[in-house]
Every structure is written in C-alpha cells, then in structure tokens.
Amino acid sequence: MPNIKSAKKRVLVNATKQARNRSNNSALKTAIKKANAAIENNADDKAAVVAYAVKKIDQASAKGLIHKNNAARKKSALVTRLNAAN
C-alpha cells in the first residue's frame, strides 16, 4: 500500500477507471456478440443491431478502449457479414 498521499489517490482513481473500462469493454463485447447472433439467426432487426454495435465500437475507440484500426477492423467484419447474409 502506498504511503504518499498522491500515490494513495492514484490507487483510488485507477480503480475507478479500471471499473469503468471493464464495464465499457463488456458492453462492447456484448453488442458485438448480439450483432453476430442476429446475423447468424437471420433476425428481422439485424441491421439495427449491427448499427448499434458499430456505434458502440466507435464509442470505445473514441474513449481509447480500443485502437482506431482495431475499431475499423471490427466494423468492417460486422458489415461484411451483414452484407453477405443479405
């Protein structure tokens, strides 16, 4: 455990940020899984689900959770699968 006051604060701030990042990453992964499932099951609202997943990917990229090239690759893969299913 740190002894310096600023180091103690960093521990608390880092724990808060870690929790927020974990939550956002989980939401991103869930959105991508739902989009893939909608494409696989040929759901009626698959375009809307994919659009939501793309939005979540953009948000994660803007927040620095994933790299912009990683975001572009994920979006491209989703849209390619959606177009192949149509």
Side-chain angles (χ1 to χ4, degrees):
M1 190 69 194
N3 293 325
I4 300 170
K5 184 177 180 181
S6 61
K8 291 178 184 178
K9 181 178 178 182
R10 292 311 311 164
V11 168
L12 296 175
V13 170
N14 287 338
T16 303
K17 288 184 177 183
Q18 180 186 17
R20 185 180 304 125
N21 286 339
R22 184 176 288 151
S23 173
N24 289 335
N25 260 329
S26 177
L28 172 67
K29 290 178 184 179
T30 302
I32 292 172
K33 286 178 187 176
K34 284 184 180 179
N36 284 328
I39 293 170
E40 286 291 321
N41 298 333
N42 204 15
D44 296 333
D45 61 343
K46 62 184 171 188
V49 176
V50 169
Y52 178 75
V54 167
K55 178 181 175 183
K56 281 294 195 184
I57 292 170
D58 285 334
Q59 288 175 343
S61 176
K63 290 177 182 176
L65 289 176
I66 59 175
H67 193 272
K68 66 177 186 173
N69 291 353
N70 189 354
R73 190 171 66 245
K74 287 180 187 297
K75 291 192 298 188
S76 176
L78 271 180
V79 174
T80 301
R81 292 189 69 207
L82 177 65
N83 290 338
N86 287 339

